[in-house]
Amino acid sequence: MIDPQFINLTTDLATANFSLKSGSPVSDAGTKLLFSPSDIKGVARPKGGSVDCGAYEVQ
């Protein structure tokens, strides 16, 4: 199993941050066959070589 390296993985909704850290192994690891044209914050996808895994696109 690969650690996606979230910024702050926690169940505390006040401090949780599921954005990816810079250099995350799942950055640009998503599929180009099935993805949303924007992430959960509305950031256009992809940024970089491919889409990032998860709800957020690294900027």
Side-chain angles (χ1 to χ4, degrees):
M1 177 182 253
I2 295 174
D3 176 6
Q5 300 179 8
F6 295 119
I7 290 178
N8 190 20
L9 179 61
T10 180
T11 57
D12 179 358
L13 298 180
T15 60
N17 185 337
F18 296 101
S19 298
L20 301 174
K21 292 179 182 176
S22 179
S24 165
V26 299
S27 180
D28 292 336
T31 177
K32 290 184 179 182
L33 299 176
L34 178 65
F35 70 94
S36 171
S38 60
D39 74 2
I40 198 166
K41 290 184 175 179
V43 175
R45 286 184 156 172
K47 301 266 188 228
S50 189
V51 295
D52 297 332
C53 293
Y56 300 97
E57 186 74 9
V58 174
Q59 298 185 47

